[in-house]
Short mmCIF file of all heavy atoms in Angstrom, two decimals:
data_model
loop_
_atom_site.label_atom_id
_atom_site.label_comp_id
_atom_site.label_asym_id
_atom_site.label_seq_id
_atom_site.Cartn_x
_atom_site.Cartn_y
_atom_site.Cartn_z
N GLU A 244 -17.31 22.77 -9.51
CA GLU A 244 -17.53 24.22 -9.52
C GLU A 244 -18.35 24.57 -10.78
O GLU A 244 -17.97 24.23 -11.90
CB GLU A 244 -16.24 25.00 -9.57
CG GLU A 244 -16.45 26.52 -9.54
CD GLU A 244 -15.13 27.29 -9.55
OE1 GLU A 244 -14.20 26.88 -8.90
OE2 GLU A 244 -15.12 28.33 -10.23
N THR A 245 -19.45 25.21 -10.57
CA THR A 245 -20.39 25.53 -11.65
C THR A 245 -21.22 26.71 -11.21
O THR A 245 -21.05 27.28 -10.18
CB THR A 245 -21.27 24.29 -12.01
OG1 THR A 245 -22.02 24.52 -13.19
CG2 THR A 245 -22.22 23.93 -10.86
N ALA A 246 -22.23 27.03 -12.02
CA ALA A 246 -23.17 28.12 -11.62
C ALA A 246 -23.94 27.64 -10.40
O ALA A 246 -24.44 26.50 -10.36
CB ALA A 246 -24.10 28.42 -12.78
N LEU A 247 -24.03 28.54 -9.42
CA LEU A 247 -24.73 28.15 -8.17
C LEU A 247 -26.15 27.62 -8.42
O LEU A 247 -26.57 26.65 -7.80
CB LEU A 247 -24.80 29.37 -7.21
CG LEU A 247 -25.58 29.20 -5.93
CD1 LEU A 247 -24.91 28.13 -5.03
CD2 LEU A 247 -25.72 30.52 -5.18
N VAL A 248 -26.84 28.26 -9.32
CA VAL A 248 -28.23 27.83 -9.58
C VAL A 248 -28.30 26.42 -10.18
O VAL A 248 -29.36 25.78 -10.05
CB VAL A 248 -28.90 28.87 -10.52
CG1 VAL A 248 -28.33 28.82 -11.93
CG2 VAL A 248 -30.43 28.64 -10.56
N ASN A 249 -27.25 25.93 -10.76
CA ASN A 249 -27.26 24.57 -11.27
C ASN A 249 -27.48 23.55 -10.15
O ASN A 249 -28.12 22.53 -10.32
CB ASN A 249 -25.97 24.25 -12.04
CG ASN A 249 -25.89 24.92 -13.35
OD1 ASN A 249 -26.86 25.51 -13.83
ND2 ASN A 249 -24.71 24.89 -13.94
N ASP A 250 -26.93 23.87 -8.97
CA ASP A 250 -27.08 22.96 -7.84
C ASP A 250 -28.59 22.88 -7.45
O ASP A 250 -29.10 21.82 -7.10
CB ASP A 250 -26.28 23.51 -6.64
CG ASP A 250 -26.05 22.49 -5.52
OD1 ASP A 250 -25.93 21.26 -5.85
OD2 ASP A 250 -25.94 22.89 -4.36
N VAL A 251 -29.27 24.03 -7.51
CA VAL A 251 -30.71 24.08 -7.21
C VAL A 251 -31.49 23.34 -8.26
O VAL A 251 -32.43 22.59 -8.02
CB VAL A 251 -31.15 25.53 -7.05
CG1 VAL A 251 -32.61 25.60 -6.62
CG2 VAL A 251 -30.26 26.30 -6.14
N ALA A 252 -31.10 23.51 -9.56
CA ALA A 252 -31.81 22.87 -10.63
C ALA A 252 -31.71 21.36 -10.55
O ALA A 252 -32.65 20.65 -10.84
CB ALA A 252 -31.25 23.35 -11.96
N VAL A 253 -30.54 20.85 -10.18
CA VAL A 253 -30.37 19.39 -10.01
C VAL A 253 -31.39 18.91 -9.00
O VAL A 253 -32.09 17.93 -9.27
CB VAL A 253 -28.94 19.05 -9.59
CG1 VAL A 253 -28.86 17.59 -9.12
CG2 VAL A 253 -27.96 19.32 -10.67
N ALA A 254 -31.45 19.55 -7.89
CA ALA A 254 -32.40 19.11 -6.82
C ALA A 254 -33.85 19.29 -7.29
O ALA A 254 -34.68 18.42 -7.03
CB ALA A 254 -32.15 19.93 -5.56
N CYS A 255 -34.17 20.35 -8.00
CA CYS A 255 -35.53 20.61 -8.44
C CYS A 255 -36.00 19.54 -9.43
O CYS A 255 -37.18 19.25 -9.46
CB CYS A 255 -35.62 22.01 -9.13
SG CYS A 255 -35.66 23.38 -7.98
#
Side-chain angles (χ1 to χ4, degrees):
E244 181 180 322
T245 189
L247 175 65
V248 68
N249 287 349
D250 197 32
V251 186
V253 169
C255 283

